[in-house]
Amino acid sequence: MENAVLLKAIIDNAIDGLITIDDQGIVESINPAACRLFDYPAEEVIGENISILMPQPDKSNHDQHLLNHRETGKANIIGIGRELIGMKKNGSYFPFRLGVSEVKYSGRIVYAGFIHDLTREKEAEGKLLDYAAQLETQVEERTHSLRMSVDALKRTQVDLNLSLEKEKEFGQLKSRFVSIASHEFRTPLSLVQLSASLIERYSESLDQKNIGKHVGKIKDAVLNITAILNDFLSLEKLDSGMVKPSLSHFNLSEMAEEITGEMQVVLRGKQQIIFKHRGTNQKVTLDQNLLKNCIIILIDNAIKYSGDDSQIQFYTKINDHNCTIRICDDGIGIPESDHKHLFEAFFRAHNTGNISGNGLGLSILSRYTGLMNGHISFKSRVNRGTIFTLTFPQKNNHEQKSIDN
């Protein structure tokens, strides 16, 4: 008796619905959860055919399953995980997952149906599909913009001198671009496509961990394409003479500390950026935006080509004649044979392997530095690291005070 009371309490308080029917499809019992799902009181369902809770064609199909079972003895309605549509008392529909068990006792057969409401899961799945569609649209828009940028780059190439040597250089440039674009664009786009497919699969079971992981991969891939496109646009502006330095007098040390903080988010593993300003003078007269871009390019490369436990040294120094910025890393280094090509557009050192990059960063850095009358020098050894030094001429303190006044 105590076991029967406990069993009834469990059934009455179950989250999922439970309905039992006989071999004719007549409802023998329904628990409170099922009553809430179908919006029927128990007395209006018990004694009725289960088909009152089903829309067409499930209603007809269910009756046929029962008929086949009575005639053949094969229980086609038995199973776990079938997705069906339920019909409430007011005629509205909702999705649910049905598991059916056959129970034999006292010489008769009863079917127990376990009903799990899928309304929230289906709504979440719909939102994920909408989000995936939005991401696909964004990728298409970025790809279209990229094509326009590449077309603009090709238009500048047709103006190159058609001499034999220039033609050879152009062929090499094109070869590098095709190689890099083929790898750098295809990989993130393939990742977007794969992750979108995996999101669709994981959404069936609401695997939040894997859904979040692949949504993150899609975002990273789109950001990667955007960064590549921005480099192309920067190169185009430089080639067309649209970039002009705008000088201002600002605190270099404060800007460097700000950049150090901003770059923390892209560090890998246990990487660290160690910044130090040398000297008492902290202000320089340069284009602040161009200089910031130069520093970010160098620090980003140091992060990219260094190990997960590496330290990146970042120094600034100002005296009466020069401003010096130095970025040091202990990464993979640059082969000596590649030094003379390092600042060419689309050129990448031969030891970069599968590390992402488009070969434009140092070319843009060189041209930004030149616009500010600066000079670049570097030292590098394979597997020992690289030191880049930017030097910019500065007016002495007396001349600067005269300008400020």
Side-chain angles (χ1 to χ4, degrees):
M1 182 65 179
E2 182 178 346
N3 289 340
V5 172
L6 175 61
L7 179 60
K8 184 177 185 305
I10 292 173
I11 293 173
D12 288 346
N13 291 279
I15 297 174
D16 287 340
L18 174 61
I19 299 177
T20 61
I21 63 173
D22 63 16
D23 60 356
Q24 301 296 317
I26 303 303
V27 177
E28 293 190 348
S29 68
I30 179 171
N31 73 341
C35 289
R36 289 191 295 272
L37 284 174
F38 290 95
D39 200 23
Y40 274 99
E43 59 270 18
E44 292 186 12
V45 179
I46 296 174
E48 299 292 335
N49 192 288
I50 190 65
S51 61
I52 67 169
L53 305 179
M54 301 178 183
Q56 294 291 0
D58 292 338
K59 178 185 294 189
S60 299
N61 291 340
H62 190 273
D63 291 342
Q64 188 63 41
H65 289 324
L66 287 173
L67 178 61
N68 290 341
H69 176 56
R70 289 196 297 272
E71 293 177 350
T72 65
K74 296 181 179 180
N76 296 329
I77 63 171
I78 305 302
I80 297 175
R82 295 170 58 206
E83 291 191 8
L84 299 171
I85 300 297
M87 185 171 67
K88 296 177 179 287
K89 183 177 181 179
N90 63 6
S92 62
Y93 299 157
F94 71 97
F96 67 90
R97 183 178 290 112
L98 174 67
V100 180
S101 298
E102 181 182 85
V103 181
K104 296 181 180 179
Y105 76 101
S106 301
R108 59 192 296 266
I109 296 175
V110 173
Y111 299 105
F114 300 88
I115 301 164
H116 178 68
D117 186 11
L118 294 177
T119 301
R120 291 185 178 179
E121 286 89 336
K122 293 298 181 182
E123 289 175 352
E125 181 180 344
K127 291 179 180 179
L128 283 172
L129 291 174
D130 290 343
Y131 184 58
Q134 292 175 6
L135 288 174
E136 184 177 353
T137 300
Q138 290 179 6
V139 171
E140 290 176 354
E141 291 173 351
R142 296 289 192 276
T143 302
H144 176 69
S145 297
L146 180 58
R147 289 192 184 123
M148 293 178 63
S149 181
V150 172
D151 288 342
L153 181 60
K154 288 179 178 178
R155 286 194 297 270
T156 64
Q157 291 173 344
V158 299
D159 296 330
L160 293 173
N161 192 302
L162 295 179
S163 68
L164 182 60
E165 186 61 30
K166 289 297 182 181
E167 186 175 358
K168 180 180 177 181
E169 292 177 1
F170 172 73
Q172 293 173 343
L173 183 66
K174 182 178 179 182
S175 176
R176 291 175 193 161
F177 171 75
V178 171
S179 174
I180 292 171
S182 150
H183 177 267
E184 294 299 321
F185 299 160
R186 186 185 300 139
T187 299
L189 288 175
S190 297
L191 183 60
V192 169
Q193 184 180 24
L194 174 61
S195 293
S197 300
L198 290 172
I199 285 174
E200 183 176 4
R201 190 182 78 185
Y202 291 135
S203 66
E204 295 176 1
S205 59
L206 284 185
D207 189 339
Q208 296 294 342
K209 180 179 179 181
N210 280 306
I211 289 173
K213 178 179 72 174
H214 289 284
V215 167
K217 287 184 176 181
I218 289 175
K219 291 179 178 178
D220 289 343
V222 173
L223 288 174
N224 188 20
I225 294 175
T226 302
I228 295 170
L229 176 58
N230 287 336
D231 282 346
F232 283 143
L233 292 176
S234 296
L235 185 63
E236 182 186 3
K237 289 180 180 179
L238 283 165
D239 287 336
S240 61
M242 295 173 61
V243 180
K244 303 291 184 183
S246 176
L247 301 182
S248 63
H249 196 53
F250 60 95
N251 190 307
L252 176 61
S253 177
E254 289 180 359
M255 187 187 78
E257 288 179 346
E258 179 182 324
I259 293 173
T260 301
E262 292 174 354
M263 297 301 288
Q264 298 296 319
V265 297
V266 296
L267 292 175
R268 294 183 290 104
K270 297 180 181 179
Q271 287 182 332
Q272 291 181 303
I273 301 175
I274 309 300
F275 168 69
K276 184 175 182 180
H277 179 77
R278 295 171 174 172
T280 57
N281 191 5
Q282 295 185 335
K283 290 195 173 183
V284 294
T285 302
L286 290 168
D287 186 309
Q288 188 170 357
N289 289 330
L290 293 184
L291 183 61
K292 182 175 182 178
N293 286 333
C294 290
I295 295 173
I296 289 174
I297 288 171
L298 290 177
I299 294 180
D300 186 66
N301 280 352
I303 293 170
K304 188 186 301 181
Y305 298 116
S306 300
D308 290 351
D309 294 322
S310 61
Q311 284 191 350
I312 296 156
Q313 308 293 331
F314 176 20
Y315 302 108
T316 56
K317 182 179 179 181
I318 305 170
N319 58 34
D320 286 343
H321 304 287
N322 295 309
C323 158
T324 303
I325 296 163
R326 182 166 294 158
I327 310 292
C328 313
D329 68 66
D330 56 0
I332 64 174
I334 305 164
E336 187 174 354
S337 60
D338 292 336
H339 287 192
K340 61 183 179 181
H341 301 294
L342 198 58
F343 299 104
E344 295 175 7
F346 304 116
F347 180 82
R348 302 196 71 208
H350 291 86
N351 62 335
T352 55
N354 293 324
I355 301 174
S356 64
N358 54 39
L360 288 177
L362 291 180
S363 175
I364 293 172
L365 164 73
S366 174
R367 298 178 69 172
Y368 280 171
T369 303
L371 287 172
M372 294 182 286
N373 298 319
H375 172 72
I376 305 174
S377 62
F378 69 95
K379 296 179 181 179
S380 185
R381 293 178 61 185
V382 173
N383 296 325
R384 296 293 296 274
T386 303
I387 301 174
F388 275 94
T389 303
L390 306 181
T391 305
F392 300 93
Q394 293 293 295
K395 298 181 181 296
N396 61 40
N397 290 336
H398 177 74
E399 291 174 318
Q400 184 60 56
K401 289 177 180 178
S402 298
I403 294 173
D404 292 340
N405 291 332

